[in-house]
Structures are given as structure tokens and as C-alpha cells.
Amino acid sequence: MDTLALSIREPALDLIRFSSLKELLTIRLDGPSQILKEQYPTLTRDEWNKTLNAVILTKVSYFQVQLHFPNRYIDKLIEVTAFSYGMKGESIGELYQALIHDHPQMAAWIKNALLVKQQNIKYAQRNP
């Protein structure tokens, strides 16, 4: 979110504070509600998308993925990350490589999530 223009940081901060990840995804898919449009009338559709993408990536990074965090949830969070970064359908490796330079914290989050997935699989194999 630090890379956002000053003109769109206020709506970004409001969204991160007051919206769930599900609400953010709904807004990203359907567009801002009339209330949001009235609250921030100068934002264009592209600015809304850029803002929402940044906020969604930030919100995903708030999830602390650790052993026993369900793999299906990890997969969904990675899918959401790819969507928000404009890489929907790309491999996790490609997503990681794309993020590592511009968003190293998000890349580290993905790396950790993949390690946890592997740990979960090993744990499940040892404890059927």
C-alpha cells in the first residue's frame, strides 16, 4: 500500500480498517457501492481497482499461516493473491518470482505458506 498515490491512500486505509477480505473481493469484482462512490467521488474505476488490489494483498498478508492452517485455505489465499496481482491462473512459482522484487514481504508470505502446506502434508502422513 505504500506505493499508492497520496490521492488514493485515504480510501485504501478506510478499506483496510473496515472491510473484511470477502467484502474487498466483492467490491473488486462488482465495483464500489454507491456509498463508497459518494464518499470518494473523484476515484476512477482504474484507481478503485488499483486501491483494492493493494488492500487485498495487504489483507492477505495479515493471515498468519502456521502448522495446521488448512491447505485449502492456503490455496484460496494464494489464488486471491494471484488475482489481485493480475496473475490469475499463473503458477505459484511465477507469482513468487513476480513478487520477490517489488513486494518481498508478500513473496515471503507465499514462501511461508508453501512451507506450511508441505508440513501439513507430512504431518497428515505421519498421523493418519
Side-chain angles (χ1 to χ4, degrees):
M1 284 190 20
D2 293 337
T3 61
L4 292 176
L6 291 176
S7 62
I8 57 179
R9 283 198 189 169
E10 185 179 345
L13 290 172
D14 281 349
L15 289 167
I16 198 81
R17 284 185 198 124
F18 303 116
S19 301
S20 69
L21 182 57
K22 183 178 179 179
E23 291 168 333
L24 293 169
L25 290 168
T26 300
I27 297 168
R28 177 62 177 84
L29 292 172
D30 299 337
S33 67
Q34 191 59 37
I35 294 170
L36 285 172
K37 287 179 185 178
E38 289 171 6
Q39 191 171 1
Y40 302 104
T42 61
L43 265 66
T44 65
R45 179 67 179 195
D46 286 342
E47 288 174 321
W48 273 113
N49 287 343
K50 185 175 182 173
T51 301
L52 286 159
N53 288 341
V55 171
I56 290 168
L57 288 172
T58 301
K59 192 71 99 163
V60 166
S61 73
Y62 288 176
F63 285 85
Q64 294 184 3
V65 178
Q66 52 194 356
L67 188 61
H68 305 301
F69 192 97
N71 282 357
R72 67 182 180 278
Y73 295 159
I74 293 170
D75 291 338
K76 188 52 77 176
L77 289 171
I78 291 172
E79 181 183 332
V80 165
T81 300
F83 168 76
S84 295
Y85 199 63
M87 295 188 69
K88 182 179 180 181
E90 301 291 332
S91 74
I92 295 170
E94 290 171 323
L95 177 62
Y96 175 79
Q97 288 301 318
L99 289 167
I100 200 157
H101 297 290
D102 294 332
H103 304 286
Q105 290 176 315
M106 196 69 217
W109 184 92
I110 288 176
K111 184 177 180 179
N112 178 65
L114 293 175
L115 290 172
V116 169
K117 275 184 69 170
Q118 292 173 344
Q119 292 171 345
N120 285 341
I121 292 167
K122 287 178 185 177
Y123 181 85
Q125 290 170 342
R126 282 188 255 133
N127 302 295

